[in-house]
Amino acid sequence: MPTTDSLPRNARRRRLSPLAMLAALLLALVFIPAARAQSGPPAYQLQYLGPGSPAAINNSGTVAGARLNGSNYEPLVSVGGGAWSSLPLLPGAVSVFPTDINDAGVIVGVSYNAAFNAVAVRWTPAGGGYTVQELPRLPGDPSSYATAINNLGQIIGARGALGYIPAATTGWLYSDALGVVDLFATYGWAIAPRDLNDNGLLLGSTERLNLNTGMLEPIPTGPSNYQPITGVAINNNDQMVGTAALGSVSLNVVSVFRYSGGAW
C-alpha cells in the first residue's frame, strides 16, 4: 500500500487533534441548520382587507366574503390584496353573501329579499367592477342556493334554504350552455351538492356524482371507529376534505380528514 508520503499532496489526509475535531463538529452543527433554513417554509405577507368574513379565494388572490351590518349581510370582494369593496345587489335584496369564486373572478352566492326568500346569484367581472345576475331556477321552484362554481363556469346548489344554510334537499347544476339541470331527475342524486371540480366530480354528503359517466358512488370510507365521512370540498386533483364524528354515542368528537393518494 502506498504511504502517506507517496500520495499526491492534495490527496493526503490531515490528522486533527481532538480539540480541532470538536471545533469542526460544532461548526457543522451551526451551518447545517442555516443551510436547511433556506429551503424551509416560504415567507408570507399579511394584508388587512377590513372587517368581515371570507368565503373563498381564487388562484389570483381575489377574495369573496361578506360583512354583517346589523342582522343582514353585505357581499364584498377584494382584488389584488386591496381593501374590501361592495358587490352590487339585486333590486329588493336585503341580505346577500358570496359562497364561492373561480379563477376567472366569477363569484356565486345567495340573495335574500325582505320575505327572506333565497335565490342564487352570480357576480361577473365587468369594466373594473362587477355585474350581478339572478340565476335561473328549476320550474316551480321559488328558491335556490348556489354553493360552488368551477373554472368551467358550472354552478351547483340546493333547491332551497333553511335559514342561511342550504337545505338538505335535491340540487341543481347550471351552465350558460345547458341552463339549469335537475340532478335528481337526471341522475337520481337525492342530495344537495356541496362542491365540484373541473373534472366533472360533484361532492355532496357521503357521495360523489361523476358527470362524465353519470355514475353515483359513495366516497371512500374512513377509519372504522368513525361514522361515514361527509365531504366538504374537492380540488382538481380529486383530493377531498371532510368531517366525521366518532362512532361512540357517548363522545361527540368531530374530526377533519383529507383524502389523498387513495386514502383518508
Side-chain angles (χ1 to χ4, degrees):
M1 294 180 61
T3 63
T4 303
D5 290 337
S6 68
L7 293 174
R9 182 176 298 274
N10 59 2
R12 296 177 185 173
R13 294 182 179 178
R14 182 179 178 185
R15 293 174 178 257
L16 298 177
S17 67
L19 184 60
M21 291 178 64
L22 178 60
L25 179 60
L26 291 175
L27 285 173
L29 292 175
V30 170
F31 284 109
I32 287 175
R36 288 178 177 171
Q38 295 177 2
S39 60
Y44 288 89
Q45 182 182 14
L46 179 65
Q47 295 168 314
Y48 178 67
L49 307 183
S53 299
I57 184 172
N58 66 11
N59 285 334
S60 300
T62 302
V63 182
R67 177 169 48 223
L68 190 61
N69 289 329
S71 58
N72 296 320
Y73 287 99
E74 172 191 359
L76 305 169
V77 64
S78 166
V79 180
W84 287 127
S85 59
S86 297
L87 289 166
L89 307 178
L90 294 175
V94 174
S95 189
V96 187
F97 52 86
T99 55
D100 200 14
I101 183 173
N102 68 10
D103 288 341
V106 181
I107 302 169
V108 294
V110 191
S111 176
Y112 289 79
N113 60 16
F116 208 65
N117 184 63
V119 293
V121 292
R122 175 176 64 182
W123 291 274
T124 305
Y130 276 84
T131 60
V132 63
Q133 170 197 7
E134 180 178 340
L135 293 177
R137 295 184 294 278
L138 291 171
D141 281 3
S143 305
S144 60
Y145 191 115
T147 55
I149 182 172
N150 65 11
N151 292 321
L152 304 178
Q154 296 172 315
I155 304 168
I156 55 172
R159 298 177 65 172
L162 183 61
Y164 282 127
I165 306 298
T169 59
T170 57
W172 49 265
L173 168 71
Y174 175 81
S175 66
D176 289 337
L178 300 178
V180 60
V181 175
D182 188 331
L183 293 177
F184 178 71
T186 307
Y187 301 101
W189 202 27
I191 291 176
R194 182 74 175 267
D195 197 17
L196 81 166
N197 64 13
D198 296 347
N199 303 325
L201 291 178
L202 277 62
L203 184 65
S205 185
T206 60
E207 294 181 347
R208 289 193 312 192
L209 169 63
N210 190 326
L211 293 177
N212 303 301
T213 63
M215 298 297 293
L216 289 170
E217 60 180 8
I219 63 176
T221 57
S224 59
N225 59 327
Y226 277 85
Q227 297 178 17
I229 296 175
T230 297
V232 174
I234 184 170
N235 66 13
N236 288 332
N237 293 320
D238 297 343
Q239 296 171 312
M240 297 179 289
V241 292
T243 62
L246 275 175
S248 172
V249 295
S250 61
L251 295 175
N252 186 21
V253 177
V254 178
S255 299
V256 178
F257 295 87
R258 182 173 77 104
Y259 182 83
S260 183
W264 289 100

